[in-house]
Amino acid sequence: MSTHDGAAQGATQDARGPLADLRVVEMGQLLAGPFCGQLLGDFGADVIKLESPGAGDPMRQWGREKPHGKSLWWPVVARNKKSVTCNLRTPEGQDLARRIIAEADIVVENFRPGTLERWGMDFDRLRAENPGLILVRVSGFGQSGPYAPRAGYGSIGEAMGGIRYVTGDPGNAPSRAGISLGDSLAAVFATIGALVAVHHRSNTGRGQIVDSAIYEAVLAMMESLLPEWAVAGYQRERTGSVLPNVSPSNVYPTASGEMILIAANQDTVFGRLAKTMGRPELADDPRFAGHADRGRNMAELDELISAWSATLGIEALLAALHEGGVPAGRIYTAKDMFDDPHFAAREAIVRLVHPDFGELPMHNAFPRLSESPGSVRHAGPGLGEHNREVYGSLLDLQEDEIAALAERGVI
């Protein structure tokens, strides 16, 4: 369990966040595990990221745009973390890792199941030295079952969990979102599991394993897909920009050439839309009067709304819809987010100073807490930037010992 000094915890939490009394060791790479570490770090946890000497996490190289030859993704997913190099494939590196873990509250890893065990870091051995340890394991298929040993990327979990099949246009192959959805969902559920395990430990003193599988994290978001098939014999299909029987809720044209999303599928809201359109009688039209009616006549209703929306520029259209109490909005790009006054007022985007990029914007820590908010304290660190701090202060290694480990390629 963490040896953070209890007397100093209150002050530390005030400075860093509500999880400042937790020490997290992040092992693994890319996104599914590290995003969990990022979320814990955003709320103040002391996240020590173990990376391979020389190369580090491949995320240091990922991303489409790389000014100065460096990733713009790394500063985000590694923010609020400390970087420590440790060669986990060597006995000396494994021993160092176990010594760090002995001082930790949580370990996050996303290796293929069995990897930690081969490295002499199975849970039984780790908790023999640290009974309160929480081991968060993120993988494609989980730690048990016939598929557990398989390599599992986020895209495979998205396919198996069901979201790929229902994403995209019905005439095309299944699509993917433009982000790593499966990895991120597994990390979010891993974070929830970690915090639940911390609460359980506060009541029992015992740590445990948190097993977050990518395919199950995706499955958890699939609403009523399973009972629809089992009870009603209905298989959800790809439906493009709409949801079956939910209308109106679609993307519509404007006179200025931009697209707008209007969501008015509730009866009262549709009445407000009809009034805003200058067609209040539509709310009483038998084709559109109820939710099921609008669902059956979705195409016809979308044509009526499109004919009206196309007569107005996007600003005039948004003004009319907002005044009428109808949910509507632009489909934002990154540029739109920077220009939006609501983003600015809520500080949804923060700006840090980065040694290579200068001012570096990124999304803030979410969700917002009124008494104990999270924060973005620094961008992703340089490889091994915190070696001396962690090996020297946490493990009490001397400078010559640290230098010798570096010389042998252990760190």
Side-chain angles (χ1 to χ4, degrees):
M1 190 177 295
S2 171
T3 57
H4 286 197
D5 182 70
Q9 279 185 16
T12 304
Q13 287 182 349
D14 289 342
R16 290 185 48 197
L19 302 184
D21 59 331
L22 296 178
R23 178 173 291 124
V24 178
V25 176
E26 180 188 299
M27 307 164 76
Q29 56 192 22
L30 299 176
L31 192 59
F35 186 42
C36 173
Q38 178 202 315
L39 294 174
L40 294 170
D42 281 355
F43 286 91
D46 179 20
V47 181
I48 300 172
K49 180 174 179 63
L50 302 186
E51 300 187 73
S52 297
D57 192 322
M59 287 299 292
R60 290 181 176 274
Q61 306 300 324
W62 279 35
R64 178 182 174 87
E65 301 298 325
K66 292 196 285 188
H68 310 290
K70 297 191 175 183
S71 168
L72 288 168
W73 201 343
W74 172 257
V76 179
V77 73
R79 69 192 194 186
N80 296 330
K81 300 177 185 180
K82 297 174 181 176
S83 172
V84 171
T85 51
C86 183
N87 189 344
L88 297 174
R89 291 171 173 79
T90 66
E92 280 187 288
Q94 293 159 9
D95 180 65
L96 287 173
R98 284 191 294 268
R99 291 172 64 185
I100 294 173
I101 291 170
E103 304 296 330
D105 298 279
I106 300 170
V107 172
V108 179
E109 64 95 3
N110 66 314
F111 301 116
R112 190 183 298 193
T115 301
L116 281 190
E117 288 76 6
R118 288 197 303 274
W119 290 344
M121 284 181 273
D122 58 274
F123 185 57
D124 286 342
R125 180 172 182 178
L126 294 177
R127 72 172 170 181
E129 300 178 358
N130 185 350
L133 182 68
I134 295 162
L135 177 59
V136 179
R137 313 196 74 171
V138 187
S139 61
F141 308 103
Q143 300 299 311
S144 61
Y147 301 164
R150 295 180 179 178
Y153 271 22
S155 57
I156 308 304
E158 291 168 21
M160 185 174 170
I163 201 166
R164 285 291 184 105
Y165 186 81
V166 299
T167 302
D169 292 314
N172 296 323
S175 299
R176 66 162 295 159
I179 56 172
S180 301
L181 189 61
D183 289 320
S184 298
L185 285 173
V188 170
F189 280 104
T191 304
I192 295 171
L195 297 177
V196 171
V198 169
H199 182 74
H200 173 80
R201 188 182 67 180
S202 71
N203 293 327
T204 66
R206 298 194 302 273
Q208 62 182 298
I209 296 172
V210 177
D211 182 355
S212 181
I214 296 173
Y215 89 95
E216 288 171 348
V218 173
L219 180 64
M221 307 303 292
M222 296 310 295
E223 302 173 346
S224 57
L225 179 139
L226 293 177
E228 285 172 357
W229 170 254
V231 177
Y234 173 72
Q235 171 63 56
R236 288 199 189 190
E237 300 289 345
R238 292 181 291 285
T239 56
S241 61
V242 301
L243 286 175
N245 303 318
V246 177
S247 179
S249 182
N250 206 341
V251 178
Y252 301 95
T254 68
S256 53
E258 298 172 84
M259 302 296 288
I260 188 172
L261 199 146
I262 301 174
N265 48 287
Q266 192 175 353
D267 290 352
T268 54
V269 181
F270 178 67
R272 296 199 293 267
L273 173 60
K275 184 178 179 180
T276 301
M277 293 171 62
R279 300 284 304 276
E281 72 280 3
L282 291 176
D284 298 318
D285 189 309
R287 297 171 298 172
F288 313 127
H291 179 82
D293 303 315
R294 291 190 298 276
R296 283 191 298 268
N297 297 286
M298 177 187 295
E300 187 175 359
L301 181 54
D302 279 345
E303 287 180 8
L304 290 172
I305 297 171
S306 294
W308 167 72
S309 67
T311 66
L312 298 171
I314 193 165
E315 296 297 344
L317 185 56
L318 282 170
L321 290 165
H322 292 159
E323 184 178 351
V326 180
R330 300 173 184 268
I331 300 173
Y332 276 25
T333 64
K335 179 181 182 301
D336 297 318
M337 297 174 189
F338 283 110
D339 294 339
D340 189 279
H342 191 77
F343 276 67
R346 286 178 58 82
E347 298 182 341
I349 299 173
V350 295
R351 290 169 169 81
L352 290 77
V353 176
H354 190 276
D356 299 309
F357 306 127
E359 183 180 88
L360 182 68
M362 64 181 69
H363 58 272
N364 208 339
F366 308 115
R368 300 175 185 277
L369 278 70
S370 61
E371 294 293 326
S372 53
S375 64
V376 183
R377 298 175 299 281
H378 62 80
L383 182 61
E385 182 177 327
H386 300 92
N387 279 3
R388 280 178 169 75
E389 175 185 338
V390 172
Y391 287 126
S393 299
L394 187 62
L395 301 190
D396 295 324
L397 298 184
Q398 301 302 308
E399 283 288 334
D400 59 339
E401 294 177 287
I402 297 172
L405 288 168
E407 180 69 23
R408 295 196 300 274
V410 178
I411 66 173

